[in-house]
Amino acid sequence: MAFWSGTFTSKVPRKILFMFTLSLSVTYLFYSLMSCYNSLQFPLQDNFAYQARLATEETTLVRDQLYSASPQAGFARGSTVVSVVRRDEVPVEDEEEEEDRRARPPSATEPARQRAVGATAVGATEGDLRVNCTSDYGEKKLPQAIIIGVKKGGTRALLEALRVHPDVRAVGNEPHFFDRNYEKGLDWYRDLMPSTLEGQITMEKTPSYFVTNHAPKRIHTMARDIKLIIVVRNPITRAISDYTQTLSKKPEIPTFEVLAFKNRTLGLIDASWSALRIGIYALHLETWMQYFPLSQMHFVSGERLIVDPAGEMAKVQDFLGLKRIVTDKHFYFNKTKGFPCLKKPEDSSTPRCLGKSKGRTHPKIEPDVIRRLHKFYKPFNMMFYQMTGQNFEWELGEDSVSPGFQV
């Protein structure tokens, strides 16, 4: 009797405990598989491009000022681009990030609360993501490619087109790490990045990097073999687009003509105005070429990105070593906005355009001002063509600037 009692109290409870633990494990596994059911279905090839979307930390808009001396005197003396405008270590004003944020669905404000990788159902909207069990897949890495500029050149349009590619994972918002948040360290920067699988490229875009003097050295320190993409546009059109954006927020600001000149009677252009200084591309490119060879840079024409987005995307995909998946079937030209919109291959009747902040009609600028700006920019443009080995043909039609829409 004592033997039976000992057996019952020592062995039977252990069996019961074992069976109870096993049943819990099986139950947990069952519910895990059920919750992951949607993510375990393989999408069609045409729909695969829309599977990976990750909203990242939203950054606070910081308004910076940009100072420089007038370029006329230095250039007339035959000095180099280095002496044309003073290189102050001050980031350029950048309001594009805030408009991009408003144009996109809201996301979590902390990296720890970032959305998991979601699978977008056929016909769902861009922000309609389903959280699934793939959030732990992949690894967060530092970017292998960065869109470094330029503001109002078409960087948002390029990034959104690249994010269609299944082998590209990109941060939606502008991290501003190398110009505003560098002291937070590379671990903070890496934590902003989306998780990637083998063969995928991690990217980000911050247009103000191109005009930030210390950004090239910092990026080179992080990854000297990184690939850099610069979207450039007729500097006059770009400046007017920049002004149009500011005007929409501050209707009381002076006219474009007033801001563009130090002395209009003498024709002295005010290159200290950031809207004009950004367009002196040769000046900024010279700084980057001190750290990176041209073979690691790719220049996208903002004008051709509008009239032939598929052609420009083919070049970008080749530069990044990607298969040409983003093609003309992904684009639809919106005549109202004046630039292409993305469309899903499985639903070509529903194009997805950029936000309301894109596509504002430019104010009409006096022809004489346009001519003076063409004269001002022409030597810098010629130098930029020579440095890049590309002719962007910005001198054609000097009495007008086209297209007349903000990108």
Side-chain angles (χ1 to χ4, degrees), residues 58-71:
E58 297 177 0
T59 54
T60 304
L61 176 65
V62 179
R63 298 176 57 87
D64 304 300
Q65 294 181 339
L66 194 63
Y67 302 94
S68 64
S70 175

Side-chain angles (χ1 to χ4, degrees), residues 342-344 347-352:
L342 284 168
K343 62 182 180 181
K344 297 180 181 180
D347 186 9
S348 60
S349 63
T350 311
R352 176 172 59 83

Side-chain angles (χ1 to χ4, degrees), residues 5-22:
S5 176
T7 302
F8 182 78
T9 56
S10 60
K11 292 186 178 181
V12 175
R14 292 181 182 180
K15 291 182 179 180
I16 294 176
L17 180 61
F18 173 76
M19 294 302 295
F20 179 72
T21 304
L22 180 62

Side-chain angles (χ1 to χ4, degrees), residues 280-294:
I280 309 177
Y281 303 136
L283 167 69
H284 309 300
L285 179 59
E286 188 182 48
T287 304
W288 288 90
M289 291 181 68
Q290 295 177 16
Y291 296 91
F292 298 98
L294 281 175

Side-chain angles (χ1 to χ4, degrees), residues 137-148:
Y137 289 0
E139 178 184 358
K140 293 195 175 200
K141 301 177 182 178
L142 294 170
Q144 294 90 53
I146 302 178
I147 301 175
I148 61 173

